[in-house]
Amino acid sequence: MKRVLTYGTFDLLHYGHINLLKRAKERGDYLITALSTDEFNGIKGKRSYFKYDERKKLLEAVRYVDLVIPEHNWEQKVQDVLTYHIDTFVIGDDWKGKFDFLADYCNVVYLERTPEISTTKIKEQLMLQS
Ligand code: C2G
């Protein structure tokens, strides 16, 4: 069984996230998604609209996702790769190069982001319409 791991906040889940999760799953048989906690979002400088439990429920409903675990910090990735016997780490190419150190432990794949959609854009458009 090939195991894939990805990370993210996945707030206001949209088709850009789904495109990423779909292609990540295609790289193996089992996809683990490490979901940024509300506290870690603070460290990332992000305030999500949906809290962790709500974002987790949404992700768990996505057919490509097999397991959701918490992402508490920047430092846990190597341990996660080892703990979950990960074959491939996948993330959007906005992170290109940032996680190359994981190549000592697993394949590292940066996938093209879906260009025209983002959680920030959704929030901005909704503000304009309100
Ligand atoms: N994504 C995408 N296309 C978009 C928006 C997001 O492919 N239009 C991808 C991102 O590249 C990322 C995933 O969807 O791989 C989740 O995006 P975010 O929730 O914005 O994740 P981010 O804040 O980048 O968290 O330790 C890594 C971080 O936790 C990544």
mmCIF file of all heavy atoms in Angstrom, residues 27-73:
data_model
loop_
_atom_site.group_PDB
_atom_site.id
_atom_site.type_symbol
_atom_site.label_atom_id
_atom_site.label_comp_id
_atom_site.label_asym_id
_atom_site.label_seq_id
_atom_site.Cartn_x
_atom_site.Cartn_y
_atom_site.Cartn_z
ATOM 1 N N ARG A 27 -1.441 9.536 -6.318
ATOM 2 C CA ARG A 27 -0.014 9.159 -6.158
ATOM 3 C C ARG A 27 0.148 7.925 -5.276
ATOM 4 O O ARG A 27 1.266 7.496 -5.016
ATOM 5 C CB ARG A 27 0.757 10.333 -5.527
ATOM 6 C CG ARG A 27 0.716 11.576 -6.366
ATOM 7 C CD ARG A 27 1.857 11.638 -7.307
ATOM 8 N NE ARG A 27 1.749 12.682 -8.311
ATOM 9 C CZ ARG A 27 2.776 13.082 -9.028
ATOM 10 N NH1 ARG A 27 3.968 12.572 -8.783
ATOM 11 N NH2 ARG A 27 2.639 13.989 -9.968
ATOM 12 N N GLY A 28 -0.986 7.390 -4.778
ATOM 13 C CA GLY A 28 -0.880 6.208 -3.916
ATOM 14 C C GLY A 28 -2.235 5.564 -3.692
ATOM 15 O O GLY A 28 -3.141 5.694 -4.517
ATOM 16 N N ASP A 29 -2.345 4.875 -2.530
ATOM 17 C CA ASP A 29 -3.593 4.164 -2.218
ATOM 18 C C ASP A 29 -4.277 4.725 -0.977
ATOM 19 O O ASP A 29 -5.448 4.455 -0.742
ATOM 20 C CB ASP A 29 -3.273 2.679 -1.928
ATOM 21 C CG ASP A 29 -2.379 2.071 -3.001
ATOM 22 O OD1 ASP A 29 -2.877 1.912 -4.135
ATOM 23 O OD2 ASP A 29 -1.183 1.813 -2.723
ATOM 24 N N TYR A 30 -3.516 5.460 -0.181
ATOM 25 C CA TYR A 30 -4.029 5.906 1.107
ATOM 26 C C TYR A 30 -3.511 7.318 1.345
ATOM 27 O O TYR A 30 -2.300 7.545 1.321
ATOM 28 C CB TYR A 30 -3.524 4.949 2.208
ATOM 29 C CG TYR A 30 -4.138 5.125 3.563
ATOM 30 C CD1 TYR A 30 -5.319 4.462 3.912
ATOM 31 C CD2 TYR A 30 -3.544 5.961 4.510
ATOM 32 C CE1 TYR A 30 -5.873 4.618 5.185
ATOM 33 C CE2 TYR A 30 -4.090 6.118 5.775
ATOM 34 C CZ TYR A 30 -5.255 5.447 6.097
ATOM 35 O OH TYR A 30 -5.813 5.607 7.349
ATOM 36 N N LEU A 31 -4.432 8.274 1.534
ATOM 37 C CA LEU A 31 -4.033 9.684 1.686
ATOM 38 C C LEU A 31 -4.304 10.160 3.102
ATOM 39 O O LEU A 31 -5.457 10.116 3.571
ATOM 40 C CB LEU A 31 -4.788 10.577 0.696
ATOM 41 C CG LEU A 31 -4.566 12.092 0.848
ATOM 42 C CD1 LEU A 31 -3.085 12.469 0.667
ATOM 43 C CD2 LEU A 31 -5.438 12.862 -0.133
ATOM 44 N N ILE A 32 -3.250 10.595 3.760
ATOM 45 C CA ILE A 32 -3.356 11.216 5.082
ATOM 46 C C ILE A 32 -3.233 12.717 4.910
ATOM 47 O O ILE A 32 -2.310 13.207 4.241
ATOM 48 C CB ILE A 32 -2.249 10.708 6.029
ATOM 49 C CG1 ILE A 32 -2.378 9.185 6.218
ATOM 50 C CG2 ILE A 32 -2.314 11.437 7.383
ATOM 51 C CD1 ILE A 32 -1.271 8.566 7.058
ATOM 52 N N THR A 33 -4.175 13.451 5.465
ATOM 53 C CA THR A 33 -4.146 14.912 5.384
ATOM 54 C C THR A 33 -3.910 15.458 6.782
ATOM 55 O O THR A 33 -4.714 15.191 7.692
ATOM 56 C CB THR A 33 -5.465 15.453 4.809
ATOM 57 O OG1 THR A 33 -5.673 14.869 3.519
ATOM 58 C CG2 THR A 33 -5.435 16.965 4.683
ATOM 59 N N ALA A 34 -2.796 16.159 6.960
ATOM 60 C CA ALA A 34 -2.481 16.796 8.250
ATOM 61 C C ALA A 34 -3.091 18.191 8.217
ATOM 62 O O ALA A 34 -2.681 19.038 7.412
ATOM 63 C CB ALA A 34 -0.976 16.847 8.477
ATOM 64 N N LEU A 35 -4.088 18.400 9.056
ATOM 65 C CA LEU A 35 -4.893 19.626 9.044
ATOM 66 C C LEU A 35 -4.389 20.597 10.100
ATOM 67 O O LEU A 35 -4.288 20.234 11.282
ATOM 68 C CB LEU A 35 -6.358 19.254 9.308
ATOM 69 C CG LEU A 35 -7.374 20.373 9.310
ATOM 70 C CD1 LEU A 35 -7.441 21.049 7.940
ATOM 71 C CD2 LEU A 35 -8.758 19.833 9.691
ATOM 72 N N SER A 36 -4.056 21.813 9.672
ATOM 73 C CA SER A 36 -3.525 22.828 10.603
ATOM 74 C C SER A 36 -4.532 23.097 11.714
ATOM 75 O O SER A 36 -5.693 23.400 11.427
ATOM 76 C CB SER A 36 -3.212 24.123 9.857
ATOM 77 O OG SER A 36 -2.399 23.893 8.719
ATOM 78 N N THR A 37 -4.080 23.013 12.951
ATOM 79 C CA THR A 37 -4.956 23.355 14.079
ATOM 80 C C THR A 37 -5.181 24.869 14.087
ATOM 81 O O THR A 37 -4.474 25.617 13.409
ATOM 82 C CB THR A 37 -4.289 22.948 15.410
ATOM 83 O OG1 THR A 37 -3.055 23.679 15.537
ATOM 84 C CG2 THR A 37 -4.041 21.441 15.459
ATOM 85 N N ASP A 38 -6.153 25.299 14.858
ATOM 86 C CA ASP A 38 -6.424 26.751 14.972
ATOM 87 C C ASP A 38 -5.207 27.461 15.552
ATOM 88 O O ASP A 38 -4.846 28.561 15.121
ATOM 89 C CB ASP A 38 -7.667 26.982 15.835
ATOM 90 C CG ASP A 38 -8.915 26.327 15.212
ATOM 91 O OD1 ASP A 38 -9.022 26.315 13.954
ATOM 92 O OD2 ASP A 38 -9.750 25.790 15.962
ATOM 93 N N GLU A 39 -4.555 26.798 16.503
ATOM 94 C CA GLU A 39 -3.365 27.387 17.130
ATOM 95 C C GLU A 39 -2.244 27.521 16.102
ATOM 96 O O GLU A 39 -1.585 28.561 15.993
ATOM 97 C CB GLU A 39 -2.898 26.517 18.307
ATOM 98 C CG GLU A 39 -3.900 26.429 19.469
ATOM 99 C CD GLU A 39 -5.111 25.544 19.129
ATOM 100 O OE1 GLU A 39 -5.034 24.720 18.167
ATOM 101 O OE2 GLU A 39 -6.161 25.712 19.807
ATOM 102 N N PHE A 40 -2.027 26.473 15.289
ATOM 103 C CA PHE A 40 -0.954 26.540 14.290
ATOM 104 C C PHE A 40 -1.295 27.551 13.211
ATOM 105 O O PHE A 40 -0.423 28.238 12.685
ATOM 106 C CB PHE A 40 -0.698 25.156 13.692
ATOM 107 C CG PHE A 40 0.449 25.125 12.696
ATOM 108 C CD1 PHE A 40 1.681 25.675 13.025
ATOM 109 C CD2 PHE A 40 0.282 24.572 11.436
ATOM 110 C CE1 PHE A 40 2.739 25.670 12.122
ATOM 111 C CE2 PHE A 40 1.331 24.562 10.514
ATOM 112 C CZ PHE A 40 2.558 25.121 10.865
ATOM 113 N N ASN A 41 -2.577 27.690 12.903
ATOM 114 C CA ASN A 41 -2.962 28.743 11.946
ATOM 115 C C ASN A 41 -2.491 30.102 12.454
ATOM 116 O O ASN A 41 -2.024 30.938 11.680
ATOM 117 C CB ASN A 41 -4.481 28.765 11.752
ATOM 118 C CG ASN A 41 -4.918 27.784 10.678
ATOM 119 O OD1 ASN A 41 -4.160 27.439 9.790
ATOM 120 N ND2 ASN A 41 -6.149 27.338 10.769
ATOM 121 N N GLY A 42 -2.605 30.286 13.786
ATOM 122 C CA GLY A 42 -2.126 31.540 14.380
ATOM 123 C C GLY A 42 -0.647 31.735 14.089
ATOM 124 O O GLY A 42 -0.205 32.819 13.699
ATOM 125 N N ILE A 43 0.113 30.657 14.235
ATOM 126 C CA ILE A 43 1.563 30.717 13.950
ATOM 127 C C ILE A 43 1.799 31.006 12.456
ATOM 128 O O ILE A 43 2.703 31.740 12.086
ATOM 129 C CB ILE A 43 2.236 29.381 14.362
ATOM 130 C CG1 ILE A 43 2.174 29.200 15.885
ATOM 131 C CG2 ILE A 43 3.677 29.304 13.860
ATOM 132 C CD1 ILE A 43 2.574 27.800 16.355
ATOM 133 N N LYS A 44 0.917 30.432 11.597
ATOM 134 C CA LYS A 44 1.061 30.659 10.154
ATOM 135 C C LYS A 44 0.550 32.042 9.744
ATOM 136 O O LYS A 44 0.579 32.413 8.582
ATOM 137 C CB LYS A 44 0.287 29.595 9.371
ATOM 138 C CG LYS A 44 0.846 28.213 9.482
ATOM 139 C CD LYS A 44 0.415 27.306 8.340
ATOM 140 C CE LYS A 44 -1.043 27.069 8.221
ATOM 141 N NZ LYS A 44 -1.378 26.050 7.204
ATOM 142 N N GLY A 45 -0.049 32.762 10.713
ATOM 143 C CA GLY A 45 -0.600 34.084 10.390
ATOM 144 C C GLY A 45 -1.927 33.997 9.657
ATOM 145 O O GLY A 45 -2.307 34.904 8.925
ATOM 146 N N LYS A 46 -2.621 32.869 9.858
ATOM 147 C CA LYS A 46 -3.924 32.682 9.208
ATOM 148 C C LYS A 46 -5.022 32.614 10.265
ATOM 149 O O LYS A 46 -4.841 32.010 11.320
ATOM 150 C CB LYS A 46 -3.938 31.345 8.443
ATOM 151 C CG LYS A 46 -3.265 31.376 7.092
ATOM 152 C CD LYS A 46 -3.556 30.062 6.342
ATOM 153 C CE LYS A 46 -3.308 30.199 4.868
ATOM 154 N NZ LYS A 46 -3.720 29.028 4.094
ATOM 155 N N ARG A 47 -6.193 33.224 9.970
ATOM 156 C CA ARG A 47 -7.359 33.015 10.855
ATOM 157 C C ARG A 47 -8.419 32.349 10.001
ATOM 158 O O ARG A 47 -8.928 32.971 9.062
ATOM 159 C CB ARG A 47 -7.853 34.366 11.404
ATOM 160 C CG ARG A 47 -7.027 34.833 12.593
ATOM 161 C CD ARG A 47 -7.579 36.104 13.246
ATOM 162 N NE ARG A 47 -8.979 35.967 13.656
ATOM 163 C CZ ARG A 47 -9.970 36.725 13.195
ATOM 164 N NH1 ARG A 47 -9.719 37.629 12.270
ATOM 165 N NH2 ARG A 47 -11.205 36.550 13.619
ATOM 166 N N SER A 48 -8.718 31.099 10.301
ATOM 167 C CA SER A 48 -9.672 30.396 9.427
ATOM 168 C C SER A 48 -11.102 30.739 9.836
ATOM 169 O O SER A 48 -11.389 31.018 11.006
ATOM 170 C CB SER A 48 -9.431 28.879 9.513
ATOM 171 O OG SER A 48 -9.675 28.427 10.829
ATOM 172 N N TYR A 49 -11.981 30.704 8.853
ATOM 173 C CA TYR A 49 -13.407 30.957 9.127
ATOM 174 C C TYR A 49 -13.983 29.793 9.924
ATOM 175 O O TYR A 49 -14.630 29.982 10.950
ATOM 176 C CB TYR A 49 -14.153 31.126 7.803
ATOM 177 C CG TYR A 49 -15.639 31.366 7.981
ATOM 178 C CD1 TYR A 49 -16.117 32.646 8.271
ATOM 179 C CD2 TYR A 49 -16.544 30.327 7.900
ATOM 180 C CE1 TYR A 49 -17.467 32.879 8.442
ATOM 181 C CE2 TYR A 49 -17.904 30.540 8.076
ATOM 182 C CZ TYR A 49 -18.364 31.809 8.348
ATOM 183 O OH TYR A 49 -19.714 32.011 8.537
ATOM 184 N N PHE A 50 -13.686 28.561 9.431
ATOM 185 C CA PHE A 50 -14.144 27.344 10.131
ATOM 186 C C PHE A 50 -13.073 26.904 11.125
ATOM 187 O O PHE A 50 -11.881 26.900 10.800
ATOM 188 C CB PHE A 50 -14.420 26.219 9.129
ATOM 189 C CG PHE A 50 -15.673 26.390 8.323
ATOM 190 C CD1 PHE A 50 -15.656 26.266 6.947
ATOM 191 C CD2 PHE A 50 -16.882 26.692 8.940
ATOM 192 C CE1 PHE A 50 -16.811 26.418 6.186
ATOM 193 C CE2 PHE A 50 -18.047 26.860 8.190
ATOM 194 C CZ PHE A 50 -18.009 26.715 6.811
ATOM 195 N N LYS A 51 -13.521 26.511 12.289
ATOM 196 C CA LYS A 51 -12.593 26.015 13.305
ATOM 197 C C LYS A 51 -12.121 24.625 12.928
ATOM 198 O O LYS A 51 -12.687 23.946 12.065
ATOM 199 C CB LYS A 51 -13.284 26.008 14.680
ATOM 200 C CG LYS A 51 -13.632 27.394 15.158
ATOM 201 C CD LYS A 51 -12.366 28.223 15.308
ATOM 202 C CE LYS A 51 -12.600 29.708 15.404
ATOM 203 N NZ LYS A 51 -11.787 30.461 14.376
ATOM 204 N N TYR A 52 -11.126 24.102 13.659
ATOM 205 C CA TYR A 52 -10.491 22.830 13.315
ATOM 206 C C TYR A 52 -11.511 21.698 13.146
ATOM 207 O O TYR A 52 -11.512 21.001 12.122
ATOM 208 C CB TYR A 52 -9.461 22.451 14.382
ATOM 209 C CG TYR A 52 -8.791 21.115 14.104
ATOM 210 C CD1 TYR A 52 -7.751 21.008 13.190
ATOM 211 C CD2 TYR A 52 -9.242 19.950 14.727
ATOM 212 C CE1 TYR A 52 -7.140 19.781 12.917
ATOM 213 C CE2 TYR A 52 -8.655 18.721 14.457
ATOM 214 C CZ TYR A 52 -7.616 18.645 13.556
ATOM 215 O OH TYR A 52 -7.031 17.429 13.272
ATOM 216 N N ASP A 53 -12.388 21.525 14.132
ATOM 217 C CA ASP A 53 -13.327 20.390 14.074
ATOM 218 C C ASP A 53 -14.234 20.468 12.853
ATOM 219 O O ASP A 53 -14.592 19.449 12.252
ATOM 220 C CB ASP A 53 -14.169 20.333 15.352
ATOM 221 C CG ASP A 53 -13.344 19.858 16.555
ATOM 222 O OD1 ASP A 53 -12.231 19.320 16.305
ATOM 223 O OD2 ASP A 53 -13.782 20.051 17.691
ATOM 224 N N GLU A 54 -14.615 21.698 12.485
ATOM 225 C CA GLU A 54 -15.483 21.868 11.325
ATOM 226 C C GLU A 54 -14.715 21.557 10.030
ATOM 227 O O GLU A 54 -15.211 20.886 9.131
ATOM 228 C CB GLU A 54 -16.021 23.300 11.308
ATOM 229 C CG GLU A 54 -16.925 23.622 12.482
ATOM 230 C CD GLU A 54 -16.958 25.099 12.863
ATOM 231 O OE1 GLU A 54 -16.040 25.861 12.465
ATOM 232 O OE2 GLU A 54 -17.928 25.486 13.557
ATOM 233 N N ARG A 55 -13.461 22.049 9.963
ATOM 234 C CA ARG A 55 -12.633 21.790 8.779
ATOM 235 C C ARG A 55 -12.322 20.294 8.685
ATOM 236 O O ARG A 55 -12.312 19.714 7.588
ATOM 237 C CB ARG A 55 -11.349 22.620 8.869
ATOM 238 C CG ARG A 55 -11.593 24.113 8.685
ATOM 239 C CD ARG A 55 -10.312 24.937 8.720
ATOM 240 N NE ARG A 55 -9.806 25.083 10.095
ATOM 241 C CZ ARG A 55 -8.615 24.670 10.494
ATOM 242 N NH1 ARG A 55 -7.809 24.041 9.653
ATOM 243 N NH2 ARG A 55 -8.232 24.855 11.759
ATOM 244 N N LYS A 56 -12.151 19.646 9.828
ATOM 245 C CA LYS A 56 -11.856 18.205 9.847
ATOM 246 C C LYS A 56 -13.047 17.414 9.318
ATOM 247 O O LYS A 56 -12.905 16.501 8.515
ATOM 248 C CB LYS A 56 -11.522 17.763 11.274
ATOM 249 C CG LYS A 56 -11.132 16.294 11.441
ATOM 250 C CD LYS A 56 -10.611 16.026 12.859
ATOM 251 C CE LYS A 56 -10.080 14.615 13.027
ATOM 252 N NZ LYS A 56 -11.140 13.605 13.238
ATOM 253 N N LYS A 57 -14.238 17.822 9.749
ATOM 254 C CA LYS A 57 -15.459 17.110 9.308
ATOM 255 C C LYS A 57 -15.608 17.212 7.777
ATOM 256 O O LYS A 57 -15.955 16.238 7.101
ATOM 257 C CB LYS A 57 -16.669 17.734 10.010
ATOM 258 C CG LYS A 57 -17.937 16.935 9.896
ATOM 259 C CD LYS A 57 -19.034 17.485 10.799
ATOM 260 C CE LYS A 57 -18.727 17.277 12.272
ATOM 261 N NZ LYS A 57 -19.819 17.784 13.150
ATOM 262 N N LEU A 58 -15.321 18.409 7.261
ATOM 263 C CA LEU A 58 -15.426 18.604 5.809
ATOM 264 C C LEU A 58 -14.410 17.721 5.078
ATOM 265 O O LEU A 58 -14.738 17.010 4.130
ATOM 266 C CB LEU A 58 -15.212 20.078 5.463
ATOM 267 C CG LEU A 58 -16.412 20.992 5.736
ATOM 268 C CD1 LEU A 58 -15.992 22.445 5.825
ATOM 269 C CD2 LEU A 58 -17.456 20.819 4.643
ATOM 270 N N LEU A 59 -13.174 17.736 5.560
ATOM 271 C CA LEU A 59 -12.124 16.948 4.888
ATOM 272 C C LEU A 59 -12.448 15.451 4.931
ATOM 273 O O LEU A 59 -12.243 14.726 3.956
ATOM 274 C CB LEU A 59 -10.776 17.189 5.551
ATOM 275 C CG LEU A 59 -9.911 18.323 5.014
ATOM 276 C CD1 LEU A 59 -8.545 18.288 5.692
ATOM 277 C CD2 LEU A 59 -9.739 18.242 3.504
ATOM 278 N N GLU A 60 -12.964 15.002 6.084
ATOM 279 C CA GLU A 60 -13.261 13.560 6.229
ATOM 280 C C GLU A 60 -14.378 13.115 5.283
ATOM 281 O O GLU A 60 -14.527 11.939 5.015
ATOM 282 C CB GLU A 60 -13.633 13.245 7.675
ATOM 283 C CG GLU A 60 -12.423 13.296 8.614
ATOM 284 C CD GLU A 60 -12.788 13.126 10.081
ATOM 285 O OE1 GLU A 60 -13.957 13.409 10.449
ATOM 286 O OE2 GLU A 60 -11.900 12.719 10.852
ATOM 287 N N ALA A 61 -15.134 14.105 4.767
ATOM 288 C CA ALA A 61 -16.224 13.772 3.832
ATOM 289 C C ALA A 61 -15.725 13.691 2.393
ATOM 290 O O ALA A 61 -16.496 13.301 1.499
ATOM 291 C CB ALA A 61 -17.330 14.824 3.930
ATOM 292 N N VAL A 62 -14.456 14.051 2.173
ATOM 293 C CA VAL A 62 -13.895 14.045 0.816
ATOM 294 C C VAL A 62 -13.433 12.628 0.474
ATOM 295 O O VAL A 62 -12.678 12.011 1.239
ATOM 296 C CB VAL A 62 -12.702 15.024 0.712
ATOM 297 C CG1 VAL A 62 -12.020 14.927 -0.653
ATOM 298 C CG2 VAL A 62 -13.167 16.459 0.974
ATOM 299 N N ARG A 63 -13.902 12.122 -0.656
ATOM 300 C CA ARG A 63 -13.653 10.713 -1.001
ATOM 301 C C ARG A 63 -12.151 10.379 -1.104
ATOM 302 O O ARG A 63 -11.755 9.238 -0.902
ATOM 303 C CB ARG A 63 -14.336 10.349 -2.316
ATOM 304 C CG ARG A 63 -13.747 11.045 -3.542
ATOM 305 C CD ARG A 63 -14.351 10.516 -4.817
ATOM 306 N NE ARG A 63 -15.794 10.770 -4.845
ATOM 307 C CZ ARG A 63 -16.615 10.139 -5.687
ATOM 308 N NH1 ARG A 63 -16.133 9.245 -6.514
ATOM 309 N NH2 ARG A 63 -17.889 10.399 -5.681
ATOM 310 N N TYR A 64 -11.320 11.389 -1.370
ATOM 311 C CA TYR A 64 -9.889 11.098 -1.581
ATOM 312 C C TYR A 64 -9.123 10.986 -0.267
ATOM 313 O O TYR A 64 -7.994 10.481 -0.239
ATOM 314 C CB TYR A 64 -9.266 12.206 -2.437
ATOM 315 C CG TYR A 64 -10.036 12.470 -3.709
ATOM 316 C CD1 TYR A 64 -10.663 13.699 -3.937
ATOM 317 C CD2 TYR A 64 -10.197 11.467 -4.661
ATOM 318 C CE1 TYR A 64 -11.397 13.926 -5.083
ATOM 319 C CE2 TYR A 64 -10.941 11.683 -5.818
ATOM 320 C CZ TYR A 64 -11.537 12.912 -6.005
ATOM 321 O OH TYR A 64 -12.290 13.130 -7.149
ATOM 322 N N VAL A 65 -9.726 11.482 0.828
ATOM 323 C CA VAL A 65 -9.030 11.559 2.115
ATOM 324 C C VAL A 65 -9.347 10.320 2.954
ATOM 325 O O VAL A 65 -10.519 10.031 3.205
ATOM 326 C CB VAL A 65 -9.444 12.843 2.863
ATOM 327 C CG1 VAL A 65 -8.806 12.885 4.252
ATOM 328 C CG2 VAL A 65 -9.041 14.084 2.061
ATOM 329 N N ASP A 66 -8.305 9.644 3.411
ATOM 330 C CA ASP A 66 -8.511 8.421 4.211
ATOM 331 C C ASP A 66 -8.349 8.657 5.708
ATOM 332 O O ASP A 66 -8.925 7.973 6.519
ATOM 333 C CB ASP A 66 -7.525 7.335 3.753
ATOM 334 C CG ASP A 66 -7.794 6.912 2.310
ATOM 335 O OD1 ASP A 66 -8.828 6.259 2.087
ATOM 336 O OD2 ASP A 66 -7.009 7.289 1.424
ATOM 337 N N LEU A 67 -7.510 9.645 6.047
ATOM 338 C CA LEU A 67 -7.289 9.929 7.468
ATOM 339 C C LEU A 67 -6.905 11.402 7.619
ATOM 340 O O LEU A 67 -6.121 11.927 6.822
ATOM 341 C CB LEU A 67 -6.156 9.045 8.017
ATOM 342 C CG LEU A 67 -5.717 9.274 9.462
ATOM 343 C CD1 LEU A 67 -6.849 8.882 10.427
ATOM 344 C CD2 LEU A 67 -4.440 8.486 9.777
ATOM 345 N N VAL A 68 -7.474 12.041 8.628
ATOM 346 C CA VAL A 68 -7.105 13.434 8.943
ATOM 347 C C VAL A 68 -6.407 13.431 10.303
ATOM 348 O O VAL A 68 -6.927 12.868 11.272
ATOM 349 C CB VAL A 68 -8.343 14.358 8.994
ATOM 350 C CG1 VAL A 68 -7.928 15.787 9.379
ATOM 351 C CG2 VAL A 68 -9.059 14.366 7.638
ATOM 352 N N ILE A 69 -5.205 14.016 10.325
ATOM 353 C CA ILE A 69 -4.471 14.147 11.598
ATOM 354 C C ILE A 69 -4.200 15.634 11.810
ATOM 355 O O ILE A 69 -4.231 16.409 10.853
ATOM 356 C CB ILE A 69 -3.136 13.351 11.563
ATOM 357 C CG1 ILE A 69 -2.193 13.866 10.476
ATOM 358 C CG2 ILE A 69 -3.425 11.857 11.396
ATOM 359 C CD1 ILE A 69 -0.779 13.269 10.520
ATOM 360 N N PRO A 70 -3.907 16.049 13.044
ATOM 361 C CA PRO A 70 -3.644 17.477 13.296
ATOM 362 C C PRO A 70 -2.232 17.881 12.912
ATOM 363 O O PRO A 70 -1.282 17.088 13.079
ATOM 364 C CB PRO A 70 -3.842 17.627 14.807
ATOM 365 C CG PRO A 70 -3.611 16.255 15.361
ATOM 366 C CD PRO A 70 -3.991 15.271 14.301
ATOM 367 N N GLU A 71 -2.136 19.093 12.363
ATOM 368 C CA GLU A 71 -0.811 19.693 12.137
ATOM 369 C C GLU A 71 -0.626 20.762 13.202
ATOM 370 O O GLU A 71 -1.302 21.795 13.174
ATOM 371 C CB GLU A 71 -0.703 20.316 10.746
ATOM 372 C CG GLU A 71 0.648 20.953 10.514
ATOM 373 C CD GLU A 71 0.779 21.698 9.201
ATOM 374 O OE1 GLU A 71 -0.231 22.227 8.701
ATOM 375 O OE2 GLU A 71 1.897 21.762 8.660
ATOM 376 N N HIS A 72 0.276 20.498 14.148
ATOM 377 C CA HIS A 72 0.472 21.390 15.304
ATOM 378 C C HIS A 72 1.587 22.397 15.094
ATOM 379 O O HIS A 72 1.583 23.468 15.695
ATOM 380 C CB HIS A 72 0.812 20.570 16.560
ATOM 381 C CG HIS A 72 -0.281 19.670 17.027
ATOM 382 N ND1 HIS A 72 -1.437 20.148 17.624
ATOM 383 C CD2 HIS A 72 -0.407 18.311 16.982
ATOM 384 C CE1 HIS A 72 -2.204 19.113 17.949
ATOM 385 N NE2 HIS A 72 -1.609 17.993 17.558
ATOM 386 N N ASN A 73 2.576 22.030 14.244
ATOM 387 C CA ASN A 73 3.774 22.893 14.115
ATOM 388 C C ASN A 73 4.478 22.628 12.796
ATOM 389 O O ASN A 73 4.156 21.680 12.080
ATOM 390 C CB ASN A 73 4.722 22.624 15.309
ATOM 391 C CG ASN A 73 5.073 21.149 15.404
ATOM 392 O OD1 ASN A 73 5.648 20.577 14.482
ATOM 393 N ND2 ASN A 73 4.659 20.530 16.506
#
